Amino acid sequence: MAPTPVWRRTPRFGGAWRLGVAALLFAVAACSGAVSPDRGDARPGQAAIASPHPLATRAGQEVLEAGGNAFDAAVAVSAALAVVEPFGSGIGGGGFFLLHRAEDGHQVMVDARETAPGEATRDMYLDDDGQPIPRLSQDGALAAGIPGLPAALVHISERYGRLPLADVLAPAIRHAEDGFEAYERMILGLRFKEDLMRESDAVSAVFFPEGRMPEPGDLIRQTDLAQTLRTLARDGHDGFYRGPLAETLVEGVRAKGGIWSLEDFAEYRVIERAPDVIEYGDARIVAASLPSSGGVVLSIVLNILDGFDLDALSEPERHHLVIEAMRRGYRDRALYLGDPDFTDIPHARLTHPLYAAGLRAAIRRDRAMPSDLLPGIAAGDESPQTTHYSVIDADGNRVATTQTLNFWYGAGVMAPGTGVMLNNEMDDFSTKPGVPDGFDLVTAEANAIAPGKRMLSSMTPTFVESPRGVAILGTPGGSRIITMVLLGTLAFLDGRDADEIVAMRRYHHQYLPDRVSHERGAFSEEIATALEAKGHELAESGRDFGNLQLVMWEYNGNRVSAASDPRNESGDAQVY
Ligand code: DON
């Protein structure tokens, strides 16, 4: 795999310079056959999909070939992943969909995050002494929020797609009905969660056929899930959120100690939100906004970095500054962020360049700042659950989606008769302010549990728009998602190609715990020594970070490329 790249900061051109550069690019484009976003007619002319599973990529392709656009393809890929990657996301989970419509440049984030059930209470995972009850927010029906993914599939299909929902869901229904072949990654997750999953007959019947752990190539059939998807295809939003299916889901969850209600289902809506837009050098980064923390954290980090001349620095110095910027971005995540519909979030302040300038001024070039010396919270690895895909169509419509059940196979339980695995997203709330969640992330009051509220997320589907072209990217990886997207963004702006960007070695700092976790080979010995000399604690992780899916449209030569993270044996990126 490629080592961590050294990137150059793209220059910040203002006013006349920017116009001059745009004119120059236009002139070069006109002579060289390159396209320019400034010419209204620019279109990639090719489509591309990068997803973590070939059946999902093919589902999208099938829909494109049937005359669908990127939004139809996205719905097909999402639904197929919910079937063939049942450990990572599902109809019982949620996600964020970042859309770009080419004809008018409309950009929107469809927030399909789960909500806390109406009977949820702030201290529901604490014992009488006020201490968190181990695993209660992660295992079993009480850990599940109200699903958002079905609502998003219907919403995106109806508002942005061209084809009927039933056509777009057809590949997923087929894979659920006919089965897909078990593979290493899904079996790994089953081993991890086996004890809990075997407690449920409905789960066992699907994932432990004939009562045994499946082997690669064994067929996993999900006939109940196929039926649930058919109901969604036929009856749309209400088919899932009202009527017999909702009743079966709610009854099943309550029988297992959960607190879902029919009112929660009737009230569930996706929310269309403006994405966060960050100006960095001559690039524009469009990223998931609250209740994903991705856009705000990226904004703080990039605004800090924008004030440094990274080009002029040595490699260790650059990494040092990136780590210090990550630290501060995650500190603010911990302190301030949560569902903006429930808490006043100082969004304008946190994303203001002058706020970042203040943070930048307090960064020492020679020393790491220990996290506990930053005003903040006094107080914590991930595996490849959750999932991401990226799509562009020949007209330039784009989708970046990250969707999840949270941990491996979510809460490990199913509502019997529905095939719907429950998420364990409630763990992303602050079960007790200052107590780390399953990703060792600490959050505060802003992310306390309340009925109907959406839990803070790190999922960061992102578009990077620069004179080079457009990158559509994202990854699973819990708390590390944002720093992986950051490193991928910087590498794209540095001119790296798609294969290099998905392969490069990654590192991460999240404020608490105060250490730089990294993949093997992320830093040379010399760089590691230099970083340690500045006071950074480096912790090599035994695991791979993430599963990045990237589609790129470069204006020079009007070239579309796609790459799937080599850390995942089943990734499938295609250009059509
Ligand atoms: O929303 C979040 O930030 C988490 N529930 C995402 C979980 C995740 O990425 C797990 N994969 N490694």
Side-chain angles (χ1 to χ4, degrees):
M1 266 181 213
T4 311
V6 181
W7 52 83
R8 265 159 289 284
R9 180 180 158 273
T10 42
R12 177 181 274 289
F13 298 118
W17 267 109
R18 201 186 275 272
L19 280 177
V21 170
L24 184 67
L25 282 172
F26 184 83
V28 171
C31 302
S32 69
V35 294
S36 161
D38 304 322
R39 285 201 314 241
D41 59 348
R43 61 193 290 277
Q46 282 182 303
I49 301 174
S51 98
H53 197 289
L55 291 177
T57 300
R58 253 176 259 148
Q61 181 186 0
E62 194 178 312
V63 161
L64 288 174
E65 283 169 356
N69 58 18
F71 311 118
D72 294 304
V75 173
V77 177
S78 267
L81 286 173
V83 173
V84 303
E85 264 198 339
F87 53 87
S89 73
I91 289 297
F96 297 105
F97 297 69
L98 191 62
L99 314 184
H100 169 92
R101 189 168 55 202
E103 64 184 22
D104 58 358
H106 175 64
Q107 295 187 323
V108 71
M109 181 184 83
V110 177
D111 166 1
R113 188 64 161 164
E114 299 88 338
T115 52
E119 290 172 37
T121 59
R122 184 194 157 88
D123 296 337
M124 61 189 278
Y125 300 113
L126 304 184
D127 64 18
D128 293 344
D129 299 327
Q131 296 308 315
I133 302 168
R135 308 214 60 82
L136 199 59
S137 61
Q138 292 181 10
D139 295 345
L142 200 58
I146 307 304
L149 200 78
L153 301 183
V154 177
H155 177 83
I156 292 169
S157 169
E158 287 177 352
R159 183 166 293 188
Y160 297 99
R162 281 189 202 134
L163 301 180
L165 181 62
D167 293 5
V168 171
L169 293 182
I173 294 171
R174 211 167 56 228
H175 298 316
E177 186 68 46
D178 301 346
F180 69 92
E181 291 184 2
Y183 52 98
E184 289 295 348
R185 214 152 41 96
M186 72 152 291
I187 297 169
L188 185 74
L190 287 178
R191 291 212 182 88
F192 190 74
K193 229 31 187 264
E194 181 170 2
D195 290 347
L196 178 68
M197 292 176 73
R198 278 193 186 271
E199 281 174 22
S200 152
D201 293 343
V203 174
S204 296
V206 171
F207 294 110
F208 303 104
E210 295 158 25
R212 62 170 177 81
M213 180 66 74
E215 287 171 16
D218 284 352
L219 218 52
I220 304 295
R221 297 186 64 211
Q222 302 173 81
T223 43
D224 285 344
L225 183 59
Q227 192 50 42
T228 293
L229 287 166
R230 271 190 218 102
T231 306
L232 188 67
R234 192 189 58 225
D235 300 335
H237 183 99
D238 285 354
F240 188 87
Y241 290 93
R242 291 172 190 272
L245 181 54
E247 281 159 24
T248 312
L249 283 161
V250 167
E251 270 165 34
V253 163
R254 293 191 86 88
K256 292 182 183 304
I259 51 172
W260 287 5
S261 73
L262 288 175
E263 292 73 45
D264 295 332
F265 268 59
E267 278 165 19
Y268 189 87
R269 296 279 177 278
V270 295
I271 301 176
E272 289 213 344
R273 300 186 191 268
D276 278 310
V277 177
I278 308 151
E279 304 284 337
Y280 177 72
D282 57 2
R284 180 176 183 272
I285 288 102
V286 183
S289 52
L290 291 167
S292 166
S293 59
V296 173
V297 174
L298 278 182
S299 170
I300 295 167
V301 173
L302 288 169
N303 282 339
I304 291 175
L305 293 179
D306 207 18
F308 289 116
D309 186 0
L310 294 181
D311 267 357
L313 299 176
S314 70
E315 208 176 335
E317 281 178 313
R318 259 175 244 145
H319 291 314
H320 166 66
L321 293 177
V322 170
I323 294 163
E324 288 302 309
M326 288 174 174
R327 182 198 308 281
R328 284 153 175 88
Y330 276 78
R331 188 274 312 264
D332 286 346
R333 180 191 196 281
L335 269 181
Y336 299 116
L337 303 187
D339 184 341
D341 296 337
F342 281 73
T343 318
D344 282 336
I345 313 279
H347 182 271
R349 172 159 69 90
L350 294 175
T351 55
H352 200 289
L354 286 176
Y355 174 73
L359 297 178
R360 189 188 313 120
I363 293 178
R364 280 181 57 164
R365 303 287 273 262
D366 59 335
R367 292 298 298 165
M369 166 70 108
S371 288
D372 58 11
L373 292 186
L374 284 178
I377 292 182
D381 284 344
E382 117 279 335
S383 41
Q385 327 87 350
T386 304
T387 198
H388 177 91
Y389 63 86
S390 298
V391 182
I392 196 165
D393 67 19
D395 292 325
N397 296 306
R398 315 170 208 151
V399 182
T401 301
T402 314
Q403 60 188 48
T404 190
L405 289 172
N406 202 16
F407 295 101
W408 287 114
Y409 295 93
V413 287
M414 202 179 248
T418 65
V420 175
M421 290 295 289
L422 307 187
N423 68 79
N424 57 357
E425 220 65 68
M426 292 295 283
D427 190 62
D428 281 351
F429 277 120
S430 179
T431 49
K432 179 176 176 184
V435 171
D437 69 9
F439 297 104
D440 285 342
L441 283 168
V442 184
T443 50
E445 208 47 53
N447 191 34
I449 303 172
K453 187 172 172 180
R454 295 171 188 228
M455 55 297 280
L456 187 64
S457 173
S458 301
M459 294 188 287
T460 315
T462 297
F463 303 143
V464 186
E465 301 168 351
S466 80
R468 180 184 180 195
V470 172
I472 306 166
L473 75 161
T475 177
S479 59
R480 292 175 179 139
I481 291 173
I482 308 170
T483 52
M484 289 189 263
V485 168
L486 170 74
L487 297 179
T489 298
L490 293 171
F492 173 75
L493 295 175
D494 190 32
R496 304 280 158 166
D497 69 30
D499 289 331
E500 273 181 292
I501 295 172
V502 295
M504 74 196 206
R505 290 299 181 175
R506 300 174 181 136
Y507 61 88
H508 168 79
H509 195 295
Q510 64 178 48
Y511 167 58
L512 296 173
D514 187 355
R515 59 172 181 241
V516 183
S517 62
H518 64 90
E519 293 182 300
R520 176 184 294 271
F523 302 124
S524 66
E525 238 180 87
E526 193 195 333
I527 294 171
T529 307
L531 289 171
E532 281 167 349
K534 288 181 191 290
H536 294 288
E537 182 190 327
L538 304 187
E540 182 178 305
S541 167
R543 299 203 203 143
D544 288 339
F545 288 11
N547 191 0
L548 200 91
Q549 307 297 328
L550 172 66
V551 165
M552 283 171 30
W553 172 26
E554 289 168 280
Y555 301 138
N556 192 5
N558 202 22
R559 180 168 168 260
V560 174
S561 55
S564 190
D565 203 313
R567 291 162 183 80
N568 160 28
E569 81 281 2
S570 63
D572 187 21
Q574 302 288 342
V575 177
Y576 311 101

